[in-house]
Amino acid sequence: MATGTLPAAAMARSSYGPGVRMGNWNEDVFLEEERMRDFLDRRERGQLLIQHSRWLQESLLTKMQLSVSEDGYVHFGDSVMLVNLDARDQQPGEWLAGDLSLSVTPDALQAHLGGQLELPCGLSAAPTRTPLGRNTFLVLGCWQAACPDPQLRLEYEGLPVPASTCLLLTHSHTNRGLAVHRHLTLRTYFGREAEVAAHTHLDSHRVEQPQNHWLLVTGSPRPGLATMLDVSPPPLPTAAAQGQ
């Protein structure tokens, strides 16, 4: 019987397969986990680069001027804020309180590397009433507005959209209402904010709940007041008021 030895290269081929890890793989795994923990910790303390970048300060966090409505209505091209008013008395439980404004929440890595807002991007509801770059929007035709009072909805259909008045905003293609989920919060690099989704919340009478109520907030014509939220907001349209 013939005997002999295998070359070193042949032994290497027979000893290693696709599932074998080479090098300091265990150390690499620990380093990756440590980098992730460091990222989450810095994000929680507001120490990410995106939180201090010049682009962030000059675009998303710069103060904006909202359009002033001269006739009391919202027009295409107006700069507005979308605000969900605080409704603590109507929604018991633990949630993010206060007036919340719809805001863009870009991906941290893409925003830092690209230095600009990449669309589409995430949305959230931030606890602020100050118009900033991230919560000021132009009015376009991808959403439809409706009166929240079902008894007046048909009467208001086709009429101009009143500014800074409680409305329902429905997505044109899915017929789902824009909603804020105050009980579901997100830890963004801007702070603790509420989740936003396209979902219609109905009560037992098939009426939209406060999660779907929004104000298209315009600028205030009065000196020293930034928005119409600083002025007494108009009451919710009701059938009784319409009869008067």
Side-chain angles (χ1 to χ4, degrees), residues 151-169:
Q151 300 183 50
L152 299 177
R153 197 162 298 170
L154 289 178
E155 298 184 27
Y156 276 89
E157 186 174 352
L159 297 180
V161 177
S164 304
T165 301
C166 189
L167 299 167
L168 303 176
L169 295 177

Side-chain angles (χ1 to χ4, degrees), residues 26-42:
N26 196 37
E27 180 179 351
D28 294 339
V29 172
F30 283 123
L31 288 176
E32 184 64 27
E33 293 177 350
E34 181 63 26
R35 282 195 292 265
M36 179 57 68
R37 285 193 294 268
D38 179 65
F39 170 80
L40 296 176
D41 181 62
R42 291 170 60 194

Side-chain angles (χ1 to χ4, degrees), residues 43-46 51 61 96 105 124-127 134 185-194:
R43 185 181 68 176
E44 184 71 21
R45 292 181 294 170
Q51 295 169 305
L61 296 183
L96 190 61
T105 308
S124 60
R134 64 183 298 244
T185 58
L186 308 171
R187 293 187 179 274
T188 72
Y189 30 81
F190 300 103
R192 183 167 172 251
E193 300 179 351

Side-chain angles (χ1 to χ4, degrees), residues 11 57 65 92-93 103 198:
M11 291 186 63
Q57 299 295 330
Q65 179 67 46
S103 307

